[in-house]
């Protein structure tokens, strides 16, 4: 890993064709309704709070995602955007350690449907072990010192990450094309 890769956290924003995603997009007007976090440019460390089984929305919780398997591979036409967030080496290390520790106990973490609904209403809500995707990403970024958020993690929406001033947009387009570009990163 190069020094540059080591000091970047990657944020993948997507909008699927699911009923929930459609409802969120309709209600908020947001272009993206899901956010995932990765620590490498090939997105092999991609994770988020999402469905545990690609065929069913519930149960959901902390999952490792893949562009080549599971839900994303079956919905490669969805629009997405990839952002790189430059962070200090120390913040990168703290963020990665937090996520790795959470993944070691991933069945202890659950999707917060209540938190998602309250976020849409602008009401903060935190419950231990319960997150929705953008809350999880926000807490990792904030707790690690990677960046200051414009609002509390429980009020962050996926679209908010596209507006972070330090974020660098690396790609916008279809998930299929991003997957092809990611495969190039893996073989490089």
């Amino acid at each position: 890993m190069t020094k540059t890769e080591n000091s970047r956290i990657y944020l993948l924003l997507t909008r699927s064709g699911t009923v929930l995603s459609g409802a969120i997009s309709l209600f908020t007007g947001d272009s993206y309704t899901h956010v995932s976090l990765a620590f490498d440019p090939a997105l092999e460390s991609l994770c988020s709070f999402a469905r545990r089984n690609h065929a069913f929305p519930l149960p959901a919780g902390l999952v490792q995602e893949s562009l080549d398997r599971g839900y994303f591979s079956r919905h490669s036409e969805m629009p997405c955007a990839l952002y790189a967030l430059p962070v200090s080496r120390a913040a990168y290390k703290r963020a990665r350690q937090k996520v790795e520790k959470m993944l070691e106990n991933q069945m202890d973490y659950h999707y917060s449907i209540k938190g998602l609904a309250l976020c849409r209403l602008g009401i903060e809500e935190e419950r231990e072990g319960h997150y929705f995707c953008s809350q999880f990403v926000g807490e990792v970024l904030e707790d690690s010192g990677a960046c200051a958020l414009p609002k509390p993690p429980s009020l962050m929406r996926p679209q908010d990450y596209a507006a972070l001033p330090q974020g660098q947009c690396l790609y916008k387009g279809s998930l299929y094309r991003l997957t092809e570009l990611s495969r190039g990163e893996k073989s490089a």
Side-chain angles (χ1 to χ4, degrees):
M1 212 177 253
T2 69
K3 185 176 180 179
T4 303
E5 292 169 347
N6 221 7
S7 60
R8 287 177 155 198
I9 294 175
Y10 297 87
L11 305 176
L12 177 63
L13 306 175
T14 56
R15 187 185 74 236
S16 71
T18 66
V19 172
L20 179 59
S21 178
I24 291 169
S25 183
L26 181 65
F27 182 67
T28 63
D30 291 349
S31 299
Y32 302 105
T33 57
H34 182 70
V35 61
S36 306
L37 175 83
F39 297 99
D40 62 289
L43 306 179
E44 291 178 346
S45 58
L46 198 64
C47 61
S48 188
F49 271 71
R51 55 181 66 210
R52 293 191 194 276
N53 180 318
H54 70 85
F56 304 103
L58 295 173
L62 179 60
V63 296
Q64 290 183 282
E65 297 175 304
S66 172
L67 299 180
D68 296 322
R69 299 181 315 279
Y71 190 80
F72 285 153
S73 70
R74 288 169 177 76
H75 300 276
S76 62
E77 73 290 343
M78 74 173 75
C80 71
L82 179 64
Y83 286 82
L85 192 63
V87 299
S88 70
R89 285 183 160 287
Y92 175 93
K93 183 177 179 181
R94 286 189 298 269
R96 189 159 194 154
Q97 286 174 338
K98 179 179 178 77
V99 169
E100 287 171 354
K101 185 175 181 185
M102 290 176 77
L103 285 169
E104 287 173 8
N105 302 297
Q106 77 185 92
M107 295 311 287
D108 293 341
Y109 295 96
H110 309 284
Y111 193 86
S112 179
I113 296 170
K114 179 183 174 188
L116 178 65
L118 290 173
C119 174
R120 299 306 179 239
L121 297 172
I123 301 169
E124 285 186 62
E125 203 263 349
E126 293 181 26
R127 285 187 299 158
E128 188 172 333
H130 291 77
Y131 299 89
F132 51 93
C133 65
S134 52
Q135 180 184 20
F136 162 70
V137 170
E139 185 173 296
V140 170
L141 295 177
E142 194 169 77
D143 287 358
S144 67
C147 72
L149 300 175
K151 50 189 154 184
S154 67
L155 295 181
M156 290 292 288
R157 299 190 329 242
Q159 189 72 32
D160 294 330
Y161 293 100
L164 290 176
Q166 63 273 47
Q168 302 166 345
C169 184
L170 302 178
Y171 173 82
K172 277 187 183 180
S174 74
L175 189 62
Y176 173 79
R177 181 70 180 125
L178 178 62
T179 302
E180 292 298 310
L181 294 170
S182 174
R183 285 185 184 129
E185 283 281 344
K186 291 176 190 175
S187 63

